[in-house]
Structures are given as structure tokens and as C-alpha cells.
Amino acid sequence: MSRPTTTPTPLARCLALAAKDLRVERRSGEALLVIAPFGAVALLLAPLAVGVDTPLLAELGPALYWLVVLLFGVLVTLRGSAVDGPHQRAMLALTGVGPRILLAGRTLGNVALLLGFELLLAPVAVLLYNPDLTGWPWLLPVLVLVAGGLAVLGSIADALAAGLDGRTSLGPLLTAPIAVPLLLGATGVLNAARYDRPPWPWLLLVVTVDLVAALLAAWCATHMEDVA
Amino acid sequence: MTPDPHPGSGPLFGRRLPAVTAAAVVAALAAAMMSPPDYVQGELVRLMYVHVPAAWAAYLSYAVTLAASVGWLRRRRPGLDRLAAASAEVGVFFTGLAIALGSIWGRPTWGVWWAWDARLVTTALLFFVYLGYLALRRAIPDPVLRARRSAVFGVVAFAQVPLVHFSVLWWRTLHQPPTVLRPSDPAIDHTMLIALLLGVLAFTLLHALFVRTRCRIAAARDALDADDETRYRPVAGAAVSAPEVGSHV
Amino acid sequence: MPHTAPSRDQPGVVATTRPADEPCARLDGIAVTVGRTPILRNLDLVLNAGEVIGVLGGNGSGKSTLLRLLATLVRPSRGRGAVLGHELGGPGTIAVRPRIALVGHLPALYPQLTLAENLHLVARLTGREERSADRALALVGLAGAAHRRAESCSQGMARRAELARVVLAEPSLLLLDEIHSGLDRDAVELVDEVVTGVRGRGGACVLVSHEPDRLTGVADRLVRIVDGRARPEPQAVDAR
């Protein structure tokens, strides 16, 4: 039919794979129309368990927001609609796309979805908890960096649990304990900004976690390929 | 020394290692009993002689799991996978023991069962990381796939541990600063130090004994499966035979 | 027509080191075990350039596993093999994959995407223009259904879309698993045409079926998988 006209760059392939994931999500709505509302329910239920103590809730608000982002964000990365069956995996492999690019493409799509997830939940948390928003501009890099780190760790867990019966329960157990620095970094930045301390160290921590996770993902992708 | 041709057929516990371990445990117990009570904590300090060595054995286990995981990814030897798994199992046991003993020690000392201290939180997180490691192993029936994925997770998880610890350390710390591993003179009574070191030795030997035994059980199981495979096993398709057409009419 | 290896300087195409007289695929004493269950055992097979082989076998005999093995998607647990000049399990397997097309017995389409989007994805990943994907869809008679989601397509339409992927990829090794099931007469002719095209380019095809009639006339020779091995099967209508 046609010979390839250009060699697709790894980035172009990643973008094609991420675009596919986002298109599937647009049609299935699992991350933003199911998991995000579930996260919002968690934010709504927490005060019912804690008690309607407005100052306390304002204090707890940012922490609960990040906790929900961490725990429910892992579900976003493990969403069932993004699971590639054996036939789809074979098809992708036969396009000559290597395991690193497959993992990077999945991660890129996860970053976009996690950002959307965070942005959907942020106004809910502000509305319900009325937190002190001093130093809010720091939130912007933190949102991106946490989405990035969680996306990489989630993609690794997704690859590790691929094809297993308990993937949706196993994935969070594999991810959540090692994603703790993201939680501490995110809450640390906002706390530091509120109390007029430099938030840089916390931001640096999150950047380090992102970089280490990305390096680990690049390393493990080649070992993860289950075929020859 | 020639290798055992049937790795599963040897004695499970062996003779020398259990004897040495038992001697070390007895010596450690005696030293712990004979060491003086602490000026502040009194008799409670004796919990240190089991709590600290248990934590040491836990960290040692995870280091062994890491090394064996890296080794498996390079050499693909089944023995390394067995070692990684055995050490992780033993590590989870020692971590649980260290947390439980720490909690019992913390209640009268700090007044709470659980304190939000950096080392405690990191240890608890490690406990869950390796519970995840064992859950991952259980979820994969294929031996090669299991070895590969768990080796990858063994490395990824351990690589994150320093970051986890560092972040938790930043977050909060109220644990006593290191008292033994100081470059100058350790800030601990020498008798207590000897008792503690004996405890560490006993737990290290216990770790070795448990891991070796667990490896031998796994090797025996693998040998059984290998025997089963060398016997002629029918291919998957042999399970399907011609249907009994007409028998249902 | 001699086998024409894609040139080394052609973008996105991997050059092969396979000499013209070397077979497209060669399997020597191959065993494949999944978990602890042997699927293939001591299987030998040579697939020459321009050759079409029909593979027969009962349910669970390992026909699909053989195709996945030839597609470099399954690692042999024993034995040696080479596909398009690259050793199975060797470092060049990823590079050779774009020259292999596999149509499995279930569609490899993303159900939420349209047929065009599915084909565009393949085009983008292999460095082709999206227009060529549209042309491939038109060629298999799916131009009118290009914007229909795969989940709402019939089995036959999904099969045709898979064939469009083959048309787009222009493979040197074509592997078809029960391709005829769910296809109408036109589509069966299309399969023959695609197979002829691959053969004409010096490539090779393996067609798997449990119906010998389907393969008679299309395949140059038949083999049957029995007890994990490939045995020659006489070309006859009553081959069963």
C-alpha cells in the first residue's frame, strides 16, 4: 500500500499513543467521569467522619485533597478502559514500537488525565473546606510535578500488574507506599508557602522523585517486555 | 565441595547453622538479661536488644532481596529468584516484629503505641512495600514472568526507599538520634553495646537460617516440578478429545 | 520474483541481512511452554520465500501459539529459530516486527475508536501518512464505515479492518489465524488477494485453520500440529 514516508521520532510515537489513550478516555469517561466524582465523594465524606468543625476542616483541606489525589490518582493510572488486551499488545508490538516508548506513551496520557483529575477536584476541595490559599501560585508547578511523578509510578505498577487478576487492587498497593514523597512534597510546599518559609526544598524533592521514577521506568521497561 | 544434584533432597535446616544460631541466641539472651538497666528507661531498655536487631535483620533482608533481584535480571538463575523471594518473606516477618516490639517499647516510653517518627513511618512503609512484593509474586502463576516482574519491582521499590526515608525525615523527627553508629565513641554503655551486638549477630544468623530454609523449600518444590516436567507431560492440546457425537440424541 | 529487502536508507524500514535464498522463517526443535504446560514440543518448520503454508490442528493444539512464535511475540523455551533473518529472542526482534503482520482470531482493534482512528494509529506509529490508512480501508470496502466505532462493527467488518492493517503494513511475513471465519465471499477473495500480494513481493504466509477445505488451493502445502510437532499433511479435500 505505502512505504513509510518518515521515521517517526520516539516523541511522535509517544504522542500518538497518548492521543489514543486520551481519545479512549474521552469516549469511556472512566477517569474524569467516574473516578473523579468518586474522589469528590471522598472529599465530601471526610468532613462527615471528622465533624463539621470549620477551622479544622480548613486546616485539613489541602492534606485531604492531596491524599485523595494520591489514592484515587493511582486508580486513574490503572483504569480498566486503558487496558490493552493480548491482541492489541501484539498489534502495537508489531508496529515496531519498543517497550520504553509504550511505557512513555502511557505515562504521557496519564499525566494529562491526572492533571485534569487534579484540576477537577481542586475547586471541590476549595468549596468544601475553604482552606487558606496563601501562596497558591506554588500550586501550579506542584500540580504538574505530582501528576508527572504519579503518572510514571502508576505506569510502572500498571505494567507490573498487567494481565493479572487482581491488577486494580494490586496496583495501588504497589504504588501508594512509594508515592509517599509526592504527598509529603505537595503538602510541604503549600505549608511552607503559608508560613512564609521557602518552599523550594519540597519542590526539589518532588522534582527528584519525578526524575528517579522516570529513570527507573526507562530502566525497567526493557525488562518488563514479556515477549522475546 | 560438590553441589547437591538434588537441591530439594538435603536436610531442610542443616546442622551447623542451626547449632551456631542457637548458641548465638542463647548468648544474646544471656547478655540482654545480664546487661544493666537503663538510668531512665529501667528494665524496659531490654526490649532494645530485640527491637534493634529485628529492624537490622529486616533491612538486611531487603538489601539481599535487592541484590538477588539485580542478580536475577543479569543471570536469570532460578536460585536468585528463590533467594529474593525468601529474603523478602523473612524481611516482612522481621519488619512486623520490629514494629510490634517498637510499639510495645514505645507505649511506656513515649506514652503512645505509635509515634509519627521518621524511622517508624519508613519502616511501616517498607512493610507495606514488601507485602505488595509478596502479593505480586502470589498473583503470577508463570515462574519466569513472576521472577522477572518481582525482580523489577524489587529494584524499583528499593530505589525509592531512600527518597521515602528522606522525605519522611524532613517531614518530622522525634526518634532519638543514632547512638551506636557514631564516628566517635558510641553514646551507649559498653556492656549494653556488647549485648546489642550479640543480639544483632543472633538475628543475622536467624535471618540466614530462615532464608536458607525457605530457599531449600522453594528449591525442593522447583525440583519436584522439574521432575514432573522431565516425565512426559502431554501437550495442552492432548486434553481435547473427539466429542461423542450422537450420544445426546 | 526474488525477495526484495527494503533498502537500508529507506526511512522507517528495517533492512534485513537475510540472503535471498534463506527461508523467511526457520524453526529447529522449538518448544514453547506456558506456565508449566507444554504447548509446542520439538517443532521443526521451514517457511520459504514466496511460500504459503496452511496449518491445521485441533482445538488447543498450539496453532495460534505457532503464529505468535513466528511473530516474535512468544519466546521459545527450547530450540532455535530465525524469522526474516533475525534469531528468535535475539536483539534484532523489535526491528524486524514491522515487517510481520499477524491477524489473530480476535480483532486487535480498540473498540472505543473508529476504524479510521484505529488505522491512523498504526499509520502514525509506523511513519505512514493517515491518507494511506484511509486508502487501505477503502480497498477492503470499509470507506463507508471508516467513522464507525469498532465496537459497533460486525465480526466480518472487524476482520476486514484487520486486513486493511495488513494492506497498510505490506508485510514480508503474513500470519493469519482463522481468517475466514465471519467473512463473506467478497472478503474471502480479498484474503486471497492479500496473500497473493505478499507472495508476489517475495514474502511468505502462514494460514491457520481447523478447516482443511479453506486452505486447499490457497496454501502450497499443509502441516498439521499433532502432539506439539508439525507433521506434513497431504493436500486433499478429505485431509481431515
Side-chain angles (χ1 to χ4, degrees), chain C residues 64-105:
Chain C
S64 301
T65 303
L66 173 63
L67 288 195
R68 289 179 64 81
L69 180 80
L70 289 167
T72 75
L73 299 173
V74 171
R75 196 191 286 263
S77 47
R78 225 172 296 142
R80 294 188 65 185
V83 172
L84 298 174
H86 289 266
E87 283 290 317
L88 282 178
T93 41
I94 289 182
V96 84
R97 284 178 183 165
R99 298 178 52 216
I100 303 170
L102 167 69
V103 179
H105 54 84

mmCIF file of all heavy atoms in Angstrom, chain C residues 64-105:
data_model
loop_
_atom_site.group_PDB
_atom_site.id
_atom_site.type_symbol
_atom_site.label_atom_id
_atom_site.label_comp_id
_atom_site.label_asym_id
_atom_site.label_seq_id
_atom_site.Cartn_x
_atom_site.Cartn_y
_atom_site.Cartn_z
ATOM 1 N N SER C 64 -2.244 -21.246 17.198
ATOM 2 C CA SER C 64 -2.107 -19.805 17.446
ATOM 3 C C SER C 64 -0.767 -19.491 18.099
ATOM 4 O O SER C 64 -0.155 -18.455 17.819
ATOM 5 C CB SER C 64 -3.249 -19.315 18.335
ATOM 6 O OG SER C 64 -4.477 -19.591 17.707
ATOM 7 N N THR C 65 -0.311 -20.398 18.973
ATOM 8 C CA THR C 65 0.991 -20.187 19.614
ATOM 9 C C THR C 65 2.097 -20.196 18.560
ATOM 10 O O THR C 65 3.046 -19.400 18.635
ATOM 11 C CB THR C 65 1.241 -21.284 20.674
ATOM 12 O OG1 THR C 65 0.171 -21.240 21.604
ATOM 13 C CG2 THR C 65 2.556 -21.065 21.409
ATOM 14 N N LEU C 66 1.956 -21.079 17.563
ATOM 15 C CA LEU C 66 2.942 -21.121 16.481
ATOM 16 C C LEU C 66 2.986 -19.774 15.751
ATOM 17 O O LEU C 66 4.068 -19.252 15.444
ATOM 18 C CB LEU C 66 2.597 -22.252 15.506
ATOM 19 C CG LEU C 66 3.438 -22.311 14.230
ATOM 20 C CD1 LEU C 66 4.901 -22.577 14.567
ATOM 21 C CD2 LEU C 66 2.920 -23.383 13.275
ATOM 22 N N LEU C 67 1.806 -19.205 15.503
ATOM 23 C CA LEU C 67 1.773 -17.905 14.828
ATOM 24 C C LEU C 67 2.428 -16.823 15.685
ATOM 25 O O LEU C 67 3.192 -15.992 15.191
ATOM 26 C CB LEU C 67 0.328 -17.492 14.514
ATOM 27 C CG LEU C 67 -0.404 -18.246 13.417
ATOM 28 C CD1 LEU C 67 -1.648 -17.497 12.980
ATOM 29 C CD2 LEU C 67 0.494 -18.463 12.196
ATOM 30 N N ARG C 68 2.137 -16.826 16.979
ATOM 31 C CA ARG C 68 2.737 -15.822 17.872
ATOM 32 C C ARG C 68 4.248 -16.016 17.979
ATOM 33 O O ARG C 68 4.998 -15.053 18.130
ATOM 34 C CB ARG C 68 2.079 -15.883 19.256
ATOM 35 C CG ARG C 68 0.641 -15.360 19.267
ATOM 36 C CD ARG C 68 0.019 -15.447 20.643
ATOM 37 N NE ARG C 68 0.701 -14.599 21.616
ATOM 38 C CZ ARG C 68 0.503 -13.296 21.739
ATOM 39 N NH1 ARG C 68 -0.359 -12.689 20.971
ATOM 40 N NH2 ARG C 68 1.162 -12.599 22.645
ATOM 41 N N LEU C 69 4.667 -17.254 17.876
ATOM 42 C CA LEU C 69 6.106 -17.537 17.887
ATOM 43 C C LEU C 69 6.763 -16.942 16.638
ATOM 44 O O LEU C 69 7.795 -16.272 16.707
ATOM 45 C CB LEU C 69 6.307 -19.050 17.933
ATOM 46 C CG LEU C 69 7.742 -19.537 17.955
ATOM 47 C CD1 LEU C 69 8.310 -19.425 19.365
ATOM 48 C CD2 LEU C 69 7.830 -20.982 17.502
ATOM 49 N N LEU C 70 6.115 -17.170 15.470
ATOM 50 C CA LEU C 70 6.657 -16.634 14.221
ATOM 51 C C LEU C 70 6.594 -15.107 14.201
ATOM 52 O O LEU C 70 7.390 -14.449 13.536
ATOM 53 C CB LEU C 70 5.878 -17.207 13.023
ATOM 54 C CG LEU C 70 6.125 -18.686 12.722
ATOM 55 C CD1 LEU C 70 5.082 -19.216 11.753
ATOM 56 C CD2 LEU C 70 7.530 -18.888 12.160
ATOM 57 N N ALA C 71 5.639 -14.550 14.957
ATOM 58 C CA ALA C 71 5.526 -13.088 15.034
ATOM 59 C C ALA C 71 6.510 -12.506 16.056
ATOM 60 O O ALA C 71 6.462 -11.308 16.332
ATOM 61 C CB ALA C 71 4.096 -12.698 15.402
ATOM 62 N N THR C 72 7.365 -13.331 16.626
ATOM 63 C CA THR C 72 8.370 -12.965 17.644
ATOM 64 C C THR C 72 7.722 -12.507 18.955
ATOM 65 O O THR C 72 8.357 -11.833 19.760
ATOM 66 C CB THR C 72 9.354 -11.861 17.163
ATOM 67 O OG1 THR C 72 8.669 -10.612 17.173
ATOM 68 C CG2 THR C 72 9.920 -12.146 15.804
ATOM 69 N N LEU C 73 6.462 -12.886 19.167
ATOM 70 C CA LEU C 73 5.766 -12.436 20.371
ATOM 71 C C LEU C 73 5.818 -13.462 21.496
ATOM 72 O O LEU C 73 5.385 -13.183 22.606
ATOM 73 C CB LEU C 73 4.300 -12.124 20.036
ATOM 74 C CG LEU C 73 4.098 -11.024 18.999
ATOM 75 C CD1 LEU C 73 2.641 -10.912 18.601
ATOM 76 C CD2 LEU C 73 4.603 -9.688 19.515
ATOM 77 N N VAL C 74 6.318 -14.634 21.187
ATOM 78 C CA VAL C 74 6.473 -15.672 22.204
ATOM 79 C C VAL C 74 7.915 -16.136 22.153
ATOM 80 O O VAL C 74 8.473 -16.348 21.072
ATOM 81 C CB VAL C 74 5.532 -16.874 21.914
ATOM 82 C CG1 VAL C 74 5.844 -18.027 22.839
ATOM 83 C CG2 VAL C 74 4.092 -16.469 22.075
ATOM 84 N N ARG C 75 8.499 -16.241 23.307
ATOM 85 C CA ARG C 75 9.893 -16.692 23.370
ATOM 86 C C ARG C 75 9.927 -18.219 23.466
ATOM 87 O O ARG C 75 9.228 -18.787 24.315
ATOM 88 C CB ARG C 75 10.539 -16.088 24.612
ATOM 89 C CG ARG C 75 12.046 -16.124 24.638
ATOM 90 C CD ARG C 75 12.514 -15.760 26.018
ATOM 91 N NE ARG C 75 12.379 -14.345 26.301
ATOM 92 C CZ ARG C 75 13.387 -13.480 26.179
ATOM 93 N NH1 ARG C 75 14.553 -13.883 25.805
ATOM 94 N NH2 ARG C 75 13.194 -12.205 26.459
ATOM 95 N N PRO C 76 10.697 -18.884 22.606
ATOM 96 C CA PRO C 76 10.753 -20.347 22.720
ATOM 97 C C PRO C 76 11.463 -20.749 24.012
ATOM 98 O O PRO C 76 12.431 -20.108 24.419
ATOM 99 C CB PRO C 76 11.570 -20.777 21.500
ATOM 100 C CG PRO C 76 12.308 -19.575 21.052
ATOM 101 C CD PRO C 76 11.546 -18.381 21.512
ATOM 102 N N SER C 77 10.940 -21.793 24.648
ATOM 103 C CA SER C 77 11.596 -22.248 25.874
ATOM 104 C C SER C 77 12.752 -23.191 25.544
ATOM 105 O O SER C 77 13.639 -23.407 26.358
ATOM 106 C CB SER C 77 10.597 -22.913 26.811
ATOM 107 O OG SER C 77 9.794 -23.821 26.105
ATOM 108 N N ARG C 78 12.753 -23.747 24.351
ATOM 109 C CA ARG C 78 13.854 -24.584 23.894
ATOM 110 C C ARG C 78 13.923 -24.513 22.370
ATOM 111 O O ARG C 78 12.938 -24.168 21.721
ATOM 112 C CB ARG C 78 13.656 -26.035 24.346
ATOM 113 C CG ARG C 78 14.929 -26.650 24.924
ATOM 114 C CD ARG C 78 14.648 -28.009 25.543
ATOM 115 N NE ARG C 78 13.759 -27.927 26.688
ATOM 116 C CZ ARG C 78 12.817 -28.833 26.958
ATOM 117 N NH1 ARG C 78 12.620 -29.858 26.176
ATOM 118 N NH2 ARG C 78 12.057 -28.711 28.021
ATOM 119 N N GLY C 79 15.068 -24.844 21.842
ATOM 120 C CA GLY C 79 15.232 -24.862 20.391
ATOM 121 C C GLY C 79 15.657 -23.504 19.849
ATOM 122 O O GLY C 79 15.778 -22.535 20.603
ATOM 123 N N ARG C 80 15.892 -23.473 18.536
ATOM 124 C CA ARG C 80 16.346 -22.230 17.903
ATOM 125 C C ARG C 80 15.449 -21.918 16.715
ATOM 126 O O ARG C 80 14.822 -22.804 16.140
ATOM 127 C CB ARG C 80 17.790 -22.383 17.416
ATOM 128 C CG ARG C 80 18.772 -22.567 18.552
ATOM 129 C CD ARG C 80 20.176 -22.516 18.022
ATOM 130 N NE ARG C 80 20.487 -21.191 17.472
ATOM 131 C CZ ARG C 80 21.624 -20.913 16.851
ATOM 132 N NH1 ARG C 80 22.518 -21.841 16.662
ATOM 133 N NH2 ARG C 80 21.861 -19.703 16.402
ATOM 134 N N GLY C 81 15.436 -20.651 16.384
ATOM 135 C CA GLY C 81 14.638 -20.266 15.236
ATOM 136 C C GLY C 81 15.033 -18.893 14.748
ATOM 137 O O GLY C 81 15.636 -18.107 15.484
ATOM 138 N N ALA C 82 14.734 -18.633 13.485
ATOM 139 C CA ALA C 82 15.006 -17.308 12.922
ATOM 140 C C ALA C 82 13.819 -16.891 12.072
ATOM 141 O O ALA C 82 13.192 -17.729 11.408
ATOM 142 C CB ALA C 82 16.277 -17.348 12.085
ATOM 143 N N VAL C 83 13.488 -15.616 12.151
ATOM 144 C CA VAL C 83 12.395 -15.063 11.364
ATOM 145 C C VAL C 83 12.918 -13.848 10.607
ATOM 146 O O VAL C 83 13.489 -12.937 11.230
ATOM 147 C CB VAL C 83 11.203 -14.678 12.276
ATOM 148 C CG1 VAL C 83 10.145 -13.935 11.483
ATOM 149 C CG2 VAL C 83 10.595 -15.917 12.907
ATOM 150 N N LEU C 84 12.773 -13.864 9.312
ATOM 151 C CA LEU C 84 13.246 -12.775 8.445
ATOM 152 C C LEU C 84 14.700 -12.412 8.756
ATOM 153 O O LEU C 84 15.067 -11.240 8.827
ATOM 154 C CB LEU C 84 12.334 -11.553 8.565
ATOM 155 C CG LEU C 84 10.875 -11.778 8.132
ATOM 156 C CD1 LEU C 84 10.020 -10.560 8.426
ATOM 157 C CD2 LEU C 84 10.787 -12.147 6.659
ATOM 158 N N GLY C 85 15.497 -13.432 8.986
ATOM 159 C CA GLY C 85 16.932 -13.222 9.172
ATOM 160 C C GLY C 85 17.347 -12.881 10.586
ATOM 161 O O GLY C 85 18.527 -12.638 10.844
ATOM 162 N N HIS C 86 16.399 -12.841 11.508
ATOM 163 C CA HIS C 86 16.747 -12.498 12.894
ATOM 164 C C HIS C 86 16.442 -13.671 13.818
ATOM 165 O O HIS C 86 15.360 -14.257 13.739
ATOM 166 C CB HIS C 86 15.980 -11.261 13.352
ATOM 167 C CG HIS C 86 16.450 -10.008 12.697
ATOM 168 N ND1 HIS C 86 17.392 -9.189 13.262
ATOM 169 C CD2 HIS C 86 16.123 -9.458 11.513
ATOM 170 C CE1 HIS C 86 17.626 -8.176 12.448
ATOM 171 N NE2 HIS C 86 16.871 -8.303 11.380
ATOM 172 N N GLU C 87 17.395 -13.966 14.683
ATOM 173 C CA GLU C 87 17.219 -15.060 15.638
ATOM 174 C C GLU C 87 16.071 -14.736 16.586
ATOM 175 O O GLU C 87 15.962 -13.597 17.074
ATOM 176 C CB GLU C 87 18.495 -15.239 16.473
ATOM 177 C CG GLU C 87 19.630 -15.954 15.757
ATOM 178 C CD GLU C 87 19.349 -17.438 15.525
ATOM 179 O OE1 GLU C 87 18.852 -18.088 16.448
ATOM 180 O OE2 GLU C 87 19.615 -17.914 14.406
ATOM 181 N N LEU C 88 15.227 -15.720 16.841
ATOM 182 C CA LEU C 88 14.147 -15.526 17.818
ATOM 183 C C LEU C 88 14.757 -15.275 19.195
ATOM 184 O O LEU C 88 15.652 -16.001 19.617
ATOM 185 C CB LEU C 88 13.258 -16.760 17.876
ATOM 186 C CG LEU C 88 12.246 -16.943 16.742
ATOM 187 C CD1 LEU C 88 11.481 -18.238 16.945
ATOM 188 C CD2 LEU C 88 11.282 -15.778 16.678
ATOM 189 N N GLY C 89 14.256 -14.245 19.855
ATOM 190 C CA GLY C 89 14.780 -13.918 21.181
ATOM 191 C C GLY C 89 16.067 -13.125 21.117
ATOM 192 O O GLY C 89 16.598 -12.727 22.147
ATOM 193 N N GLY C 90 16.574 -12.867 19.908
ATOM 194 C CA GLY C 90 17.803 -12.084 19.762
ATOM 195 C C GLY C 90 17.521 -10.595 19.814
ATOM 196 O O GLY C 90 16.369 -10.168 19.925
ATOM 197 N N PRO C 91 18.578 -9.793 19.711
ATOM 198 C CA PRO C 91 18.407 -8.348 19.871
ATOM 199 C C PRO C 91 17.670 -7.664 18.706
ATOM 200 O O PRO C 91 17.158 -6.575 18.861
ATOM 201 C CB PRO C 91 19.843 -7.826 19.974
ATOM 202 C CG PRO C 91 20.684 -8.892 19.346
ATOM 203 C CD PRO C 91 19.974 -10.183 19.535
ATOM 204 N N GLY C 92 17.605 -8.329 17.555
ATOM 205 C CA GLY C 92 17.008 -7.656 16.396
ATOM 206 C C GLY C 92 15.514 -7.865 16.247
ATOM 207 O O GLY C 92 14.917 -7.434 15.264
ATOM 208 N N THR C 93 14.898 -8.539 17.236
ATOM 209 C CA THR C 93 13.492 -8.907 17.041
ATOM 210 C C THR C 93 12.570 -7.695 16.945
ATOM 211 O O THR C 93 11.635 -7.704 16.154
ATOM 212 C CB THR C 93 13.001 -9.835 18.169
ATOM 213 O OG1 THR C 93 13.526 -9.372 19.385
ATOM 214 C CG2 THR C 93 13.409 -11.251 17.923
ATOM 215 N N ILE C 94 12.830 -6.656 17.737
ATOM 216 C CA ILE C 94 11.944 -5.487 17.693
ATOM 217 C C ILE C 94 12.029 -4.828 16.317
ATOM 218 O O ILE C 94 11.025 -4.410 15.742
ATOM 219 C CB ILE C 94 12.294 -4.488 18.815
ATOM 220 C CG1 ILE C 94 11.871 -5.074 20.159
ATOM 221 C CG2 ILE C 94 11.600 -3.143 18.595
ATOM 222 C CD1 ILE C 94 12.109 -4.182 21.338
ATOM 223 N N ALA C 95 13.248 -4.788 15.773
ATOM 224 C CA ALA C 95 13.444 -4.126 14.493
ATOM 225 C C ALA C 95 12.736 -4.854 13.349
ATOM 226 O O ALA C 95 12.301 -4.231 12.383
ATOM 227 C CB ALA C 95 14.936 -4.025 14.203
ATOM 228 N N VAL C 96 12.597 -6.167 13.468
ATOM 229 C CA VAL C 96 12.026 -6.942 12.364
ATOM 230 C C VAL C 96 10.489 -6.957 12.416
ATOM 231 O O VAL C 96 9.817 -7.265 11.435
ATOM 232 C CB VAL C 96 12.610 -8.382 12.384
ATOM 233 C CG1 VAL C 96 11.858 -9.283 13.330
ATOM 234 C CG2 VAL C 96 12.622 -8.970 10.994
ATOM 235 N N ARG C 97 9.943 -6.598 13.552
ATOM 236 C CA ARG C 97 8.497 -6.735 13.738
ATOM 237 C C ARG C 97 7.635 -5.951 12.747
ATOM 238 O O ARG C 97 6.575 -6.451 12.343
ATOM 239 C CB ARG C 97 8.112 -6.349 15.174
ATOM 240 C CG ARG C 97 8.464 -7.437 16.146
ATOM 241 C CD ARG C 97 8.132 -7.041 17.545
ATOM 242 N NE ARG C 97 8.557 -8.077 18.470
ATOM 243 C CZ ARG C 97 8.652 -7.909 19.760
ATOM 244 N NH1 ARG C 97 8.372 -6.740 20.295
ATOM 245 N NH2 ARG C 97 9.043 -8.896 20.531
ATOM 246 N N PRO C 98 8.001 -4.733 12.354
ATOM 247 C CA PRO C 98 7.132 -4.023 11.408
ATOM 248 C C PRO C 98 6.972 -4.751 10.073
ATOM 249 O O PRO C 98 6.092 -4.417 9.292
ATOM 250 C CB PRO C 98 7.844 -2.682 11.205
ATOM 251 C CG PRO C 98 8.696 -2.518 12.393
ATOM 252 C CD PRO C 98 9.106 -3.885 12.797
ATOM 253 N N ARG C 99 7.812 -5.749 9.824
ATOM 254 C CA ARG C 99 7.701 -6.483 8.563
ATOM 255 C C ARG C 99 6.849 -7.743 8.715
ATOM 256 O O ARG C 99 6.766 -8.560 7.810
ATOM 257 C CB ARG C 99 9.101 -6.835 8.050
ATOM 258 C CG ARG C 99 9.927 -5.560 7.762
ATOM 259 C CD ARG C 99 11.312 -5.882 7.318
ATOM 260 N NE ARG C 99 11.292 -6.827 6.222
ATOM 261 C CZ ARG C 99 12.194 -7.793 6.059
ATOM 262 N NH1 ARG C 99 13.173 -7.929 6.934
ATOM 263 N NH2 ARG C 99 12.112 -8.600 5.041
ATOM 264 N N ILE C 100 6.271 -7.888 9.889
ATOM 265 C CA ILE C 100 5.409 -9.048 10.154
ATOM 266 C C ILE C 100 3.992 -8.538 10.421
ATOM 267 O O ILE C 100 3.818 -7.542 11.127
ATOM 268 C CB ILE C 100 5.910 -9.821 11.400
ATOM 269 C CG1 ILE C 100 7.364 -10.254 11.206
ATOM 270 C CG2 ILE C 100 5.025 -11.023 11.690
ATOM 271 C CD1 ILE C 100 8.015 -10.795 12.461
ATOM 272 N N ALA C 101 3.003 -9.177 9.851
ATOM 273 C CA ALA C 101 1.610 -8.832 10.173
ATOM 274 C C ALA C 101 0.924 -10.078 10.710
ATOM 275 O O ALA C 101 1.064 -11.166 10.152
ATOM 276 C CB ALA C 101 0.892 -8.319 8.939
ATOM 277 N N LEU C 102 0.222 -9.887 11.815
ATOM 278 C CA LEU C 102 -0.499 -11.000 12.438
ATOM 279 C C LEU C 102 -1.964 -10.601 12.575
ATOM 280 O O LEU C 102 -2.267 -9.538 13.134
ATOM 281 C CB LEU C 102 0.096 -11.298 13.821
ATOM 282 C CG LEU C 102 -0.715 -12.215 14.740
ATOM 283 C CD1 LEU C 102 -0.742 -13.638 14.217
ATOM 284 C CD2 LEU C 102 -0.123 -12.209 16.154
ATOM 285 N N VAL C 103 -2.832 -11.411 12.038
ATOM 286 C CA VAL C 103 -4.265 -11.205 12.266
ATOM 287 C C VAL C 103 -4.728 -12.359 13.129
ATOM 288 O O VAL C 103 -4.789 -13.502 12.676
ATOM 289 C CB VAL C 103 -5.050 -11.142 10.935
ATOM 290 C CG1 VAL C 103 -6.537 -10.963 11.212
ATOM 291 C CG2 VAL C 103 -4.548 -10.000 10.070
ATOM 292 N N GLY C 104 -4.983 -12.066 14.372
ATOM 293 C CA GLY C 104 -5.364 -13.103 15.331
ATOM 294 C C GLY C 104 -6.824 -13.476 15.174
ATOM 295 O O GLY C 104 -7.555 -12.877 14.380
ATOM 296 N N HIS C 105 -7.257 -14.458 15.972
ATOM 297 C CA HIS C 105 -8.658 -14.867 15.820
ATOM 298 C C HIS C 105 -9.616 -13.896 16.486
ATOM 299 O O HIS C 105 -10.818 -13.949 16.284
ATOM 300 C CB HIS C 105 -8.863 -16.301 16.320
ATOM 301 C CG HIS C 105 -8.376 -16.525 17.710
ATOM 302 N ND1 HIS C 105 -9.126 -16.226 18.790
ATOM 303 C CD2 HIS C 105 -7.186 -16.992 18.185
ATOM 304 C CE1 HIS C 105 -8.440 -16.510 19.886
ATOM 305 N NE2 HIS C 105 -7.268 -16.971 19.549
#
